[in-house]
PDB file of all heavy atoms in Angstrom:
ATOM      1  N   GLY A 442      -1.694   4.619  -3.970  1.00 93.00           N
ATOM      2  CA  GLY A 442      -0.869   4.911  -5.156  1.00 93.00           C
ATOM      3  C   GLY A 442      -1.519   5.911  -6.085  1.00 93.00           C
ATOM      4  O   GLY A 442      -1.955   6.993  -5.679  1.00 93.00           O
ATOM      5  N   ILE A 443      -1.656   5.507  -7.367  1.00 95.00           N
ATOM      6  CA  ILE A 443      -2.190   6.413  -8.384  1.00 95.00           C
ATOM      7  C   ILE A 443      -3.684   6.704  -8.139  1.00 95.00           C
ATOM      8  O   ILE A 443      -4.252   7.631  -8.735  1.00 95.00           O
ATOM      9  CB  ILE A 443      -1.911   5.849  -9.804  1.00 95.00           C
ATOM     10  CG1 ILE A 443      -2.140   6.904 -10.878  1.00 95.00           C
ATOM     11  CG2 ILE A 443      -2.742   4.603 -10.092  1.00 95.00           C
ATOM     12  CD1 ILE A 443      -1.239   8.093 -10.778  1.00 95.00           C
ATOM     13  N   GLY A 444      -4.277   5.959  -7.213  1.00 96.00           N
ATOM     14  CA  GLY A 444      -5.685   6.178  -6.833  1.00 96.00           C
ATOM     15  C   GLY A 444      -5.915   7.533  -6.169  1.00 96.00           C
ATOM     16  O   GLY A 444      -7.038   7.848  -5.762  1.00 96.00           O
ATOM     17  N   ILE A 445      -4.900   8.363  -6.084  1.00 97.00           N
ATOM     18  CA  ILE A 445      -5.051   9.711  -5.521  1.00 97.00           C
ATOM     19  C   ILE A 445      -5.715  10.660  -6.538  1.00 97.00           C
ATOM     20  O   ILE A 445      -6.276  11.699  -6.165  1.00 97.00           O
ATOM     21  CB  ILE A 445      -3.663  10.279  -5.083  1.00 97.00           C
ATOM     22  CG1 ILE A 445      -3.822  11.546  -4.225  1.00 97.00           C
ATOM     23  CG2 ILE A 445      -2.771  10.556  -6.260  1.00 97.00           C
ATOM     24  CD1 ILE A 445      -4.443  11.334  -2.885  1.00 97.00           C
ATOM     25  N   THR A 446      -5.643  10.291  -7.836  1.00 97.00           N
ATOM     26  CA  THR A 446      -6.062  11.252  -8.873  1.00 97.00           C
ATOM     27  C   THR A 446      -7.487  11.818  -8.695  1.00 97.00           C
ATOM     28  O   THR A 446      -7.693  12.992  -8.958  1.00 97.00           O
ATOM     29  CB  THR A 446      -5.878  10.691 -10.307  1.00 97.00           C
ATOM     30  OG1 THR A 446      -6.492   9.412 -10.378  1.00 97.00           O
ATOM     31  CG2 THR A 446      -4.420  10.603 -10.698  1.00 97.00           C
ATOM     32  N   PRO A 447      -8.483  11.035  -8.243  1.00 97.00           N
ATOM     33  CA  PRO A 447      -9.827  11.634  -8.135  1.00 97.00           C
ATOM     34  C   PRO A 447      -9.960  12.622  -6.973  1.00 97.00           C
ATOM     35  O   PRO A 447     -11.002  13.259  -6.832  1.00 97.00           O
ATOM     36  CB  PRO A 447     -10.742  10.427  -7.882  1.00 97.00           C
ATOM     37  CG  PRO A 447      -9.937   9.219  -8.126  1.00 97.00           C
ATOM     38  CD  PRO A 447      -8.504   9.596  -7.941  1.00 97.00           C
ATOM     39  N   PHE A 448      -8.902  12.724  -6.114  1.00 98.00           N
ATOM     40  CA  PHE A 448      -9.096  13.482  -4.875  1.00 98.00           C
ATOM     41  C   PHE A 448      -8.498  14.889  -4.865  1.00 98.00           C
ATOM     42  O   PHE A 448      -8.815  15.682  -3.987  1.00 98.00           O
ATOM     43  CB  PHE A 448      -8.541  12.664  -3.688  1.00 98.00           C
ATOM     44  CG  PHE A 448      -9.266  11.343  -3.495  1.00 98.00           C
ATOM     45  CD1 PHE A 448      -8.571  10.173  -3.213  1.00 98.00           C
ATOM     46  CD2 PHE A 448     -10.649  11.277  -3.611  1.00 98.00           C
ATOM     47  CE1 PHE A 448      -9.244   8.966  -3.041  1.00 98.00           C
ATOM     48  CE2 PHE A 448     -11.336  10.070  -3.445  1.00 98.00           C
ATOM     49  CZ  PHE A 448     -10.618   8.918  -3.158  1.00 98.00           C
ATOM     50  N   TYR A 449      -7.629  15.205  -5.807  1.00 97.00           N
ATOM     51  CA  TYR A 449      -6.978  16.522  -5.780  1.00 97.00           C
ATOM     52  C   TYR A 449      -8.019  17.645  -5.892  1.00 97.00           C
ATOM     53  O   TYR A 449      -8.096  18.541  -5.043  1.00 97.00           O
ATOM     54  CB  TYR A 449      -5.948  16.631  -6.916  1.00 97.00           C
ATOM     55  CG  TYR A 449      -5.197  17.937  -6.915  1.00 97.00           C
ATOM     56  CD1 TYR A 449      -3.931  18.033  -6.339  1.00 97.00           C
ATOM     57  CD2 TYR A 449      -5.756  19.087  -7.462  1.00 97.00           C
ATOM     58  CE1 TYR A 449      -3.243  19.235  -6.320  1.00 97.00           C
ATOM     59  CE2 TYR A 449      -5.086  20.294  -7.445  1.00 97.00           C
ATOM     60  CZ  TYR A 449      -3.824  20.364  -6.879  1.00 97.00           C
ATOM     61  OH  TYR A 449      -3.166  21.561  -6.863  1.00 97.00           O
ATOM     62  N   GLU A 450      -8.831  17.577  -6.939  1.00 97.00           N
ATOM     63  CA  GLU A 450      -9.822  18.641  -7.158  1.00 97.00           C
ATOM     64  C   GLU A 450     -10.868  18.661  -6.044  1.00 97.00           C
ATOM     65  O   GLU A 450     -11.380  19.719  -5.686  1.00 97.00           O
ATOM     66  CB  GLU A 450     -10.516  18.448  -8.519  1.00 97.00           C
ATOM     67  CG  GLU A 450      -9.677  18.878  -9.704  1.00 97.00           C
ATOM     68  CD  GLU A 450      -9.499  20.394  -9.812  1.00 97.00           C
ATOM     69  OE1 GLU A 450     -10.460  21.134  -9.536  1.00 97.00           O
ATOM     70  OE2 GLU A 450      -8.384  20.838 -10.150  1.00 97.00           O
ATOM     71  N   LEU A 451     -11.158  17.486  -5.500  1.00 97.00           N
ATOM     72  CA  LEU A 451     -12.143  17.401  -4.419  1.00 97.00           C
ATOM     73  C   LEU A 451     -11.629  18.146  -3.189  1.00 97.00           C
ATOM     74  O   LEU A 451     -12.353  18.946  -2.576  1.00 97.00           O
ATOM     75  CB  LEU A 451     -12.418  15.929  -4.084  1.00 97.00           C
ATOM     76  CG  LEU A 451     -13.554  15.682  -3.102  1.00 97.00           C
ATOM     77  CD1 LEU A 451     -14.905  15.932  -3.764  1.00 97.00           C
ATOM     78  CD2 LEU A 451     -13.528  14.242  -2.571  1.00 97.00           C
ATOM     79  N   VAL A 452     -10.356  17.888  -2.866  1.00 97.00           N
ATOM     80  CA  VAL A 452      -9.759  18.552  -1.695  1.00 97.00           C
ATOM     81  C   VAL A 452      -9.632  20.058  -1.970  1.00 97.00           C
ATOM     82  O   VAL A 452      -9.868  20.886  -1.082  1.00 97.00           O
ATOM     83  CB  VAL A 452      -8.388  17.910  -1.353  1.00 97.00           C
ATOM     84  CG1 VAL A 452      -7.633  18.752  -0.326  1.00 97.00           C
ATOM     85  CG2 VAL A 452      -8.583  16.493  -0.838  1.00 97.00           C
ATOM     86  N   LYS A 453      -9.284  20.415  -3.201  1.00 97.00           N
ATOM     87  CA  LYS A 453      -9.139  21.840  -3.544  1.00 97.00           C
ATOM     88  C   LYS A 453     -10.457  22.581  -3.293  1.00 97.00           C
ATOM     89  O   LYS A 453     -10.478  23.672  -2.736  1.00 97.00           O
ATOM     90  CB  LYS A 453      -8.729  21.966  -5.014  1.00 97.00           C
ATOM     91  CG  LYS A 453      -8.331  23.362  -5.434  1.00 97.00           C
ATOM     92  CD  LYS A 453      -7.630  23.353  -6.771  1.00 97.00           C
ATOM     93  CE  LYS A 453      -8.582  23.760  -7.875  1.00 97.00           C
ATOM     94  NZ  LYS A 453      -8.006  23.591  -9.211  1.00 97.00           N
ATOM     95  N   LYS A 454     -11.566  21.942  -3.649  1.00 96.00           N
ATOM     96  CA  LYS A 454     -12.866  22.613  -3.533  1.00 96.00           C
ATOM     97  C   LYS A 454     -13.566  22.342  -2.206  1.00 96.00           C
ATOM     98  O   LYS A 454     -14.340  23.169  -1.734  1.00 96.00           O
ATOM     99  CB  LYS A 454     -13.785  22.154  -4.677  1.00 96.00           C
ATOM    100  CG  LYS A 454     -13.326  22.599  -6.056  1.00 96.00           C
ATOM    101  CD  LYS A 454     -14.447  22.467  -7.062  1.00 96.00           C
ATOM    102  CE  LYS A 454     -14.088  23.090  -8.382  1.00 96.00           C
ATOM    103  NZ  LYS A 454     -13.494  22.159  -9.344  1.00 96.00           N
ATOM    104  N   TYR A 455     -13.375  21.156  -1.636  1.00 96.00           N
ATOM    105  CA  TYR A 455     -14.155  20.776  -0.447  1.00 96.00           C
ATOM    106  C   TYR A 455     -13.245  20.186   0.636  1.00 96.00           C
ATOM    107  O   TYR A 455     -13.416  19.039   1.027  1.00 96.00           O
ATOM    108  CB  TYR A 455     -15.233  19.752  -0.831  1.00 96.00           C
ATOM    109  CG  TYR A 455     -16.097  20.178  -1.985  1.00 96.00           C
ATOM    110  CD1 TYR A 455     -15.851  19.705  -3.279  1.00 96.00           C
ATOM    111  CD2 TYR A 455     -17.162  21.053  -1.791  1.00 96.00           C
ATOM    112  CE1 TYR A 455     -16.648  20.096  -4.339  1.00 96.00           C
ATOM    113  CE2 TYR A 455     -17.959  21.448  -2.853  1.00 96.00           C
ATOM    114  CZ  TYR A 455     -17.693  20.964  -4.125  1.00 96.00           C
ATOM    115  OH  TYR A 455     -18.481  21.356  -5.178  1.00 96.00           O
ATOM    116  N   SER A 456     -12.289  20.967   1.118  1.00 95.00           N
ATOM    117  CA  SER A 456     -11.348  20.412   2.106  1.00 95.00           C
ATOM    118  C   SER A 456     -11.944  20.360   3.516  1.00 95.00           C
ATOM    119  O   SER A 456     -11.469  19.606   4.367  1.00 95.00           O
ATOM    120  CB  SER A 456     -10.060  21.218   2.106  1.00 95.00           C
ATOM    121  OG  SER A 456     -10.350  22.539   2.472  1.00 95.00           O
ATOM    122  N   LYS A 457     -13.019  21.138   3.748  1.00 94.00           N
ATOM    123  CA  LYS A 457     -13.620  21.185   5.097  1.00 94.00           C
ATOM    124  C   LYS A 457     -14.162  19.791   5.472  1.00 94.00           C
ATOM    125  O   LYS A 457     -14.801  19.133   4.651  1.00 94.00           O
ATOM    126  CB  LYS A 457     -14.771  22.203   5.072  1.00 94.00           C
ATOM    127  CG  LYS A 457     -15.141  22.711   6.429  1.00 94.00           C
ATOM    128  CD  LYS A 457     -16.182  23.788   6.332  1.00 94.00           C
ATOM    129  CE  LYS A 457     -16.816  23.956   7.689  1.00 94.00           C
ATOM    130  NZ  LYS A 457     -18.141  24.522   7.604  1.00 94.00           N
ATOM    131  N   ASN A 458     -13.897  19.388   6.704  1.00 96.00           N
ATOM    132  CA  ASN A 458     -14.372  18.083   7.206  1.00 96.00           C
ATOM    133  C   ASN A 458     -13.892  16.898   6.366  1.00 96.00           C
ATOM    134  O   ASN A 458     -14.590  15.897   6.244  1.00 96.00           O
ATOM    135  CB  ASN A 458     -15.909  18.048   7.284  1.00 96.00           C
ATOM    136  CG  ASN A 458     -16.423  18.991   8.325  1.00 96.00           C
ATOM    137  OD1 ASN A 458     -15.802  19.158   9.382  1.00 96.00           O
ATOM    138  ND2 ASN A 458     -17.543  19.640   8.042  1.00 96.00           N
ATOM    139  N   THR A 459     -12.725  17.064   5.762  1.00 97.00           N
ATOM    140  CA  THR A 459     -12.191  15.991   4.919  1.00 97.00           C
ATOM    141  C   THR A 459     -10.921  15.411   5.529  1.00 97.00           C
ATOM    142  O   THR A 459     -10.039  16.161   5.944  1.00 97.00           O
ATOM    143  CB  THR A 459     -11.870  16.547   3.504  1.00 97.00           C
ATOM    144  OG1 THR A 459     -13.074  17.038   2.957  1.00 97.00           O
ATOM    145  CG2 THR A 459     -11.283  15.482   2.588  1.00 97.00           C
ATOM    146  N   ILE A 460     -10.871  14.098   5.594  1.00 97.00           N
ATOM    147  CA  ILE A 460      -9.663  13.411   6.073  1.00 97.00           C
ATOM    148  C   ILE A 460      -9.148  12.546   4.925  1.00 97.00           C
ATOM    149  O   ILE A 460      -9.938  11.867   4.266  1.00 97.00           O
ATOM    150  CB  ILE A 460      -9.985  12.517   7.297  1.00 97.00           C
ATOM    151  CG1 ILE A 460     -10.574  13.366   8.433  1.00 97.00           C
ATOM    152  CG2 ILE A 460      -8.743  11.756   7.774  1.00 97.00           C
ATOM    153  CD1 ILE A 460     -11.062  12.561   9.632  1.00 97.00           C
TER     154      ILE A 460
END
Side-chain angles (χ1 to χ4, degrees):
I443 194 62
I445 192 67
T446 51
F448 298 137
Y449 182 98
E450 283 289 321
L451 188 73
V452 169
K453 189 166 100 188
K454 293 196 171 93
Y455 308 99
S456 62
K457 201 175 163 204
N458 293 324
T459 300
I460 301 174

